[in-house]
Amino acid sequence: MFFEVFKIDEIYLRGNRMRYGKRDWINYERGIEREWLITNGRSGFAGATITGANSRKYHGLLVACLTSPEERYMILNKLEERIIYKDSSYPLTTTKYQKMIVKGYENQQSFSYDGIPCYRYMINGLVIDKQVALAYKKNTVIIGYDICNSSKSAVLDISPLLTCREPGACSKKVNLTFEKSFIENQQVTEGLNSEIQFVPNYNKELTIRLWSSEGEFREEEQLTEKVFYDVDRTTGDPFTEQLYKPGSYQINIEPYEKKTVYIVCTLEKEKINPEEVLREEKLRISKLRNTFKEDRLIARYLPIAADHFIVERDSIHSKTILAGYPWFLDWGRDTMIAFNGLTLATGRFEDAKEILKSFVLYEKDGLIPNMFPSSKGEPLYNTVDASLWFVHAAYSYLIYSSNRESTDFIEKEIYPYLKKIIKAYKEGTKFSIHMQEDGLIWAGSGLDQVTWMDVRVNDIVVTPRHGKPVEINALWYNALKIMAYLEKKFEHQQVEGYEELAEKVKKSFVQAFWNEADGCLFDVVDEKGGDRSIRPNQIWAVSLPFTMLSQEQEKRVVYKVFESLYTPYGLRSLASDHPDYHPIYKGKLFDRDMAYHQGTAWGFPIGAFFTAYCKVNQYSKEALEFVESLISDQEVDLENQCLGTISEIFDGDTPHFARGCYAQAWSVGELLRVYYEDLLGGRIKLEETHKRMFD
């Protein structure tokens, strides 16, 4: 047994571990530049900055999820810890109040992260290592303190700060009142102190259970001063709130004493062993960290990041993909774009299968939901691309998994819906989505926003793309080619004319979209002609498996995108020399919406660019090395902002600050896909599988 435990710890500890020290928090502002995220597989999460300060209202130690993924509650906002000696006290955690800052970072020695955040504090020879972990698929957080004392007696004072609110809304009085009761320790895991239960008036169906493994709890109910959230202050959102403090745990530390203390906060009813929860979570994360053999940041951390987004959807008892933390739920478009990287490149084929089944359940009129339904609501179908990406995802699942079981699954449970999608697009469906006489797809009218550039502010359509969007028609051709192969395999005959239609689309596409003057593709074609705005959407006309341009045209597209849109972290949504270019994404919601697709750099299209660059350069050694160097530049950012993951968007201008969701599924998924398919050579295996299955 000892050897097994040793092996687990050895695996867990090997490889890159992100480490930070006092120079990374020389002041409060520097200390909140980096944050961390951990999740529980049920859309619940925890996060804070590397100094323990909460810089946004979404930060907390337990954001629980009752009905996954949509019903979330901020429960345990933070623990305020301090060390008390006879004549002095020292704060550990950093907290910014409206009128003062508790500078715990001055007593913080280091911070490290390898899937589990770990804070080290050092005061007068007393060393405390604090770790935070969520129980997988449970609404439970464990905070463990490994204590090694020197010659002075001390007290570790831990004050829980509670609330019960939606994660995106600051607390009001109704969120801060609780019915409190003490439960004897026989109802708690053996060896733990008496439990305190809180029933919030905001939702009396919840019971919050809180206890520590030792120490006296001193009651002293009060509301804190107003906590200040710096990030929310910059967005025009509410940025201060009070929190409920029921009292504090007083844990005595004797001279030269070594011990471990746990704080447990949970909404679950069963007994909990915090030591076992922490051990199991470390083992689970160690397996994710060893998905790939390489010892580099993207190999070690992006599989963990991918795991954050793959969650349970209770309404259908199956898996889905969250678009991003901390506020997005599961979106059809985002799911299908992130699908290859998050599930297939990481070998999570059962999850991939469940996700395909989850979305096909809600196919309607040939459309896959844009926004997935909640347990009480109806899905929204305002997207032209989700269904076409779904066809691509089904094909990718087939050639990645390449076994009899997966082939049967696609043939019997997915292929009939793929046929419905193509039929609906040909004959016409909602949101003006229809095939025109030239074989190309038209979508959108009026106030519709059905592509991923979908911001609308009241009656202002910021980026109107009604007509024939370039990426939609690239996806349409790709889907037709896939269907031609599937029809031949599953029906052993050509009935629907997918191949003939694909050839017609190819001819029409080149005629309609090629912009010789600029050496690239129009972004949208409508009755007035082509939109010459240089946007990243054209890159998918090169990167998808089945494409329509000549080799020379593809190369010109790739280099135009590189010259006009590339940043180290993503592709700009609009070229910087365009009169509508907005370089910075900040300020109130209206200002941010006006910049969202008008120059803001997006993380996910850079994956298509990397693949397209390799493709037009015939996957030469030089091309692969160049893309590797660009990814290495991007890889550095995994140790900044939200550690080990990739943000939704970045400013279009240098230094390209990260904005929006601090962890985004398709940003992570696309880099994982490129890493596996292009850098590790997975593309060769996939091409061989395609030939074996279809030729």
Side-chain angles (χ1 to χ4, degrees):
M1 178 63 70
F2 174 82
F3 180 68
E4 290 178 355
V5 174
F6 175 78
K7 282 179 65 179
I8 289 170
D9 290 342
E10 182 182 47
I11 291 172
Y12 178 71
L13 290 172
R14 76 174 186 171
N16 290 302
R17 185 181 181 95
M18 298 179 185
R19 295 184 180 276
Y20 305 90
K22 285 184 173 293
R23 292 182 182 178
D24 295 297
W25 48 80
I26 57 175
N27 55 37
Y28 172 82
E29 289 73 23
R30 283 288 305 279
I32 64 171
E33 289 178 356
R34 296 181 177 92
E35 56 195 313
W36 53 265
L37 170 73
I38 56 176
T39 60
N40 70 354
R42 286 189 48 78
S43 192
F45 63 95
T49 64
I50 62 173
T51 58
N54 290 347
S55 64
R56 57 174 95 225
K57 55 182 173 285
Y58 287 97
H59 280 156
L61 292 179
L62 179 59
V63 179
C65 188
L66 269 64
T67 304
S68 181
E70 64 267 4
E71 189 184 0
R72 290 167 168 164
Y73 295 93
M74 174 70 71
I75 300 296
L76 179 60
N77 184 270
K78 71 183 307 177
L79 298 175
E80 284 202 328
E81 308 111 334
R82 59 178 178 152
I83 292 296
I84 302 174
Y85 293 103
K86 289 183 178 180
D87 54 356
S88 58
S89 68
Y90 300 85
L92 304 184
T93 304
T94 299
T95 305
K96 184 174 184 178
Y97 293 100
Q98 195 167 23
K99 297 180 179 180
M100 63 173 291
I101 298 176
V102 178
K103 299 180 179 180
Y105 63 84
E106 293 181 341
N107 301 307
Q108 184 177 342
Q109 181 75 7
S110 65
F111 175 87
S112 62
Y113 175 82
D114 56 1
I116 296 286
C118 183
Y119 296 82
R120 167 166 284 188
Y121 306 100
M122 191 175 296
I123 302 163
N124 297 334
L126 168 63
V127 179
I128 298 177
D129 289 323
K130 179 178 77 173
Q131 299 180 85
V132 183
L134 296 175
Y136 191 56
K137 295 190 177 180
K138 303 289 184 181
N139 288 309
T140 300
V141 63
I142 307 296
I143 302 97
Y145 301 85
D146 291 320
I147 301 169
C148 182
N149 198 14
S150 58
S151 60
K152 295 183 179 181
S153 297
V155 173
L156 173 58
D157 179 278
I158 303 174
S159 299
L161 304 185
L162 298 171
T163 183
C164 182
R165 62 165 169 82
E166 294 179 5
C170 287
S171 297
K172 299 180 180 179
K173 288 184 179 180
V174 68
N175 307 111
L176 301 174
T177 56
F178 302 83
E179 296 176 8
K180 182 177 65 174
S181 59
F182 289 84
I183 309 298
E184 293 302 319
N185 64 3
Q186 64 265 23
Q187 297 188 31
V188 187
T189 301
E190 184 178 355
L192 297 183
N193 273 4
S194 294
E195 171 184 322
I196 313 171
Q197 292 188 357
F198 303 88
V199 176
N201 286 320
Y202 183 70
N203 185 343
K204 293 187 177 182
E205 295 182 1
L206 301 181
T207 299
I208 303 167
R209 301 168 58 206
L210 181 70
W211 68 86
S212 78
S213 59
E214 68 170 87
E216 175 189 0
F217 185 80
R218 294 186 179 179
E219 289 188 76
E220 189 181 355
E221 288 188 309
Q222 59 180 297
L223 298 183
T224 67
E225 297 295 322
K226 287 188 176 180
V227 180
F228 186 100
Y229 300 126
D230 290 78
V231 173
D232 300 315
R233 176 67 178 84
T234 67
T235 63
D237 290 349
F239 58 90
T240 63
E241 69 172 342
Q242 292 180 285
L243 298 165
Y244 169 68
K245 177 182 175 182
S248 63
Y249 291 101
Q250 304 283 301
I251 298 160
N252 293 319
I253 307 172
E254 301 301 326
Y256 309 111
E257 184 178 18
K258 295 181 180 179
K259 63 181 175 182
T260 299
V261 176
Y262 295 103
I263 300 290
V264 179
C265 184
T266 183
L267 301 185
E268 308 297 335
K269 295 180 180 180
E270 68 265 18
K271 293 182 178 181
I272 295 167
N273 184 326
E275 183 178 5
E276 185 65 22
V277 168
L278 188 58
R279 181 182 180 278
E280 288 178 355
E281 190 62 6
K282 285 184 175 181
L283 175 59
R284 192 180 72 85
I285 289 174
S286 75
K287 292 178 179 178
L288 293 170
R289 293 186 72 222
N290 288 278
T291 299
F292 301 107
K293 294 181 180 179
E294 285 195 324
D295 190 21
R296 58 180 296 183
L297 289 176
I298 57 174
R300 293 296 186 204
Y301 286 96
L302 288 193
I304 300 173
D307 183 73
H308 293 330
F309 305 108
I310 302 171
V311 303
E312 299 291 328
R313 172 160 274 284
D314 290 343
S315 62
I316 54 175
H317 306 291
S318 190
K319 293 286 180 68
T320 188
I321 290 177
L322 290 186
Y325 288 92
W327 54 75
F328 283 139
L329 297 180
D330 40 353
W331 290 59
R333 172 191 300 120
D334 299 58
T335 295
M336 297 310 149
I337 292 174
F339 181 84
N340 281 26
L342 298 189
T343 64
L344 303 182
T346 56
R348 300 178 67 149
F349 297 122
E350 282 303 310
D351 289 339
K353 183 178 180 180
E354 282 197 34
I355 290 162
L356 291 176
K357 291 172 67 174
S358 296
F359 277 84
V360 83
L361 280 174
Y362 289 91
E363 177 274 333
K364 184 178 180 181
D365 300 320
L367 298 177
I368 296 298
N370 186 31
M371 290 187 66
F372 219 85
S374 68
S375 56
K376 300 177 182 178
E378 293 295 323
L380 298 177
Y381 291 91
N382 56 325
T383 169
V384 62
D385 44 4
S387 295
L388 299 177
W389 279 114
F390 181 82
V391 176
H392 178 72
Y395 165 76
S396 298
Y397 170 78
L398 189 61
I399 61 171
Y400 260 92
S401 53
S402 67
N403 57 49
R404 184 68 256 173
E405 182 182 354
S406 61
T407 302
D408 289 344
F409 165 68
I410 293 296
E411 180 179 7
K412 295 174 182 178
E413 299 189 44
I414 302 299
Y415 179 61
Y417 291 94
L418 303 185
K419 293 176 69 174
K420 289 179 67 176
I421 289 169
I422 301 301
K423 186 174 186 291
Y425 275 57
K426 287 171 63 177
E427 297 178 356
T429 185
K430 295 179 179 179
F431 305 103
S432 304
I433 300 169
H434 65 281
M435 184 180 75
Q436 295 202 314
E437 290 184 7
D438 58 4
L440 300 177
I441 296 297
W442 179 288
S445 62
L447 297 178
D448 293 339
Q449 287 290 76
V450 292
T451 72
W452 73 276
M453 292 186 164
D454 57 359
V455 168
R456 192 180 88 194
V457 183
N458 299 320
D459 290 339
I460 302 174
V461 179
V462 182
T463 48
R465 303 185 71 232
H466 304 152
K468 303 171 185 177
V470 63
E471 80 280 12
I472 301 308
N473 283 284
L475 284 163
W476 174 236
Y477 176 80
N478 186 68
L480 290 172
K481 293 291 289 185
I482 288 170
M483 292 302 292
Y485 283 112
L486 295 181
E487 183 184 52
K488 181 180 178 181
K489 183 173 184 62
F490 296 147
E491 301 188 39
H492 310 294
Q493 58 181 332
Q494 294 185 2
V495 178
E496 299 293 341
Y498 297 125
E499 189 66 50
E500 293 80 1
L501 180 54
E503 287 303 308
K504 180 178 180 180
V505 170
K506 179 177 182 178
K507 181 178 179 181
S508 297
F509 182 88
V510 176
Q511 289 178 347
F513 281 95
W514 183 250
N515 172 12
E516 180 61 32
D518 296 319
C520 62
L521 296 170
F522 293 121
D523 186 59
V524 179
V525 173
D526 59 20
E527 62 276 355
K528 299 177 183 178
D531 178 1
R532 292 179 59 182
S533 302
I534 307 300
R535 295 186 182 275
N537 304 300
Q538 61 189 299
I539 199 65
W540 285 287
V542 183
S543 67
L544 288 168
F546 307 104
T547 54
M548 299 167 279
L549 302 176
S550 68
Q551 290 184 355
E552 178 60 26
Q553 288 172 324
E554 286 188 336
K555 196 162 192 175
R556 292 177 71 182
V557 166
V558 169
Y559 281 90
K560 174 61 71 173
V561 168
F562 190 32
E563 294 162 8
S564 301
L565 303 176
Y566 176 83
T567 78
Y569 310 114
L571 298 185
R572 294 185 184 93
S573 47
L574 183 64
S576 58
D577 59 358
H578 194 283
D580 293 333
Y581 176 71
H582 286 63
I584 308 296
Y585 180 86
K586 69 176 183 179
K588 295 182 178 180
L589 181 60
F590 178 85
D591 297 326
R592 285 179 280 139
D593 280 346
M594 297 304 290
Y596 205 39
H597 298 299
Q598 298 287 63
T600 297
W602 288 72
F604 81 95
I606 205 169
F609 167 75
F610 288 146
T611 294
Y613 186 92
C614 292
K615 178 181 177 182
V616 300
N617 289 287
Q618 290 76 51
Y619 285 88
S620 67
K621 181 175 180 290
E622 293 77 11
L624 289 170
E625 288 177 349
F626 181 61
V627 168
E628 161 69 27
S629 72
L630 296 181
I631 289 177
S632 295
D633 292 341
Q634 186 178 10
E635 193 173 21
V636 173
D637 204 52
L638 293 180
E639 296 183 281
N640 296 298
Q641 189 61 21
C642 190
L643 306 182
T645 188
I646 305 173
S647 297
E648 175 191 10
I649 52 177
F650 304 82
D651 287 340
D653 279 3
T654 188
H656 309 294
F657 285 121
R659 308 284 188 180
C661 277
Y662 47 71
Q664 194 77 1
W666 57 11
S667 300
V668 171
E670 273 296 271
L671 194 56
L672 268 171
R673 181 193 61 77
V674 170
Y675 174 64
Y676 173 77
E677 291 183 3
D678 298 327
L679 298 191
L680 296 185
R683 172 189 58 86
I684 298 172
K685 177 184 177 182
L686 297 176
E687 289 176 350
E688 291 173 350
T689 301
H690 173 91
K691 290 179 181 179
R692 186 177 72 252
M693 294 186 73
F694 298 113
D695 291 350

